[in-house]
Amino acid sequence: QKWSNKVTHVVAACTPEGRLAKRTFKYLCGVLCGQWVVSPDWVRGCIEAGRAVEEAPFEAAGDTQGSLQGPARGREATLRHAAAAEGGRGAK
């Protein structure tokens, strides 16, 4: 299994109810690296719009193992760490 730091989005099959993704290697890498973890509906939305659409409505709400808000928390933590590395602007 491979991961690239060039990845910007992880497209994960999600349950229809609750947008929960299976906890795979790539799902976990996306969460830990603070990347968007979105359902395939995001890709369909982009194709229909002819451009990238907002990710938030399509973000995985968590995983099927019971961890909720992992993708959002991962992105928020990455942003906090990046702000701290830039001299603390916006870091909490």
Side-chain angles (χ1 to χ4, degrees), residues 61-79:
D63 65 51
T64 56
Q65 299 295 314
S67 177
L68 298 179
Q69 299 179 340
R73 289 180 181 169
R75 282 186 305 92
E76 292 164 3
T78 299
L79 291 173

Side-chain angles (χ1 to χ4, degrees), residues 36 38 42 46 51-59:
W36 283 102
V38 295
W42 176 76
C46 292
R51 61 176 176 77
V53 297
E54 183 181 350
E55 293 91 343
F58 304 98
E59 184 171 34

Side-chain angles (χ1 to χ4, degrees), residues 20-73:
L20 300 177
K22 186 175 179 183
R23 191 183 286 181
T24 64
F25 173 78
K26 290 187 178 178
Y27 169 85
L28 291 172
C29 287
V31 170
L32 293 172
C33 293
Q35 305 305 344
W36 283 102
V37 180
V38 295
S39 75
D41 292 334
W42 176 76
V43 176
R44 284 189 276 280
C46 292
I47 292 169
E48 289 173 9
R51 61 176 176 77
V53 297
E54 183 181 350
E55 293 91 343
F58 304 98
E59 184 171 34
D63 65 51
T64 56
Q65 299 295 314
S67 177
L68 298 179
Q69 299 179 340
R73 289 180 181 169

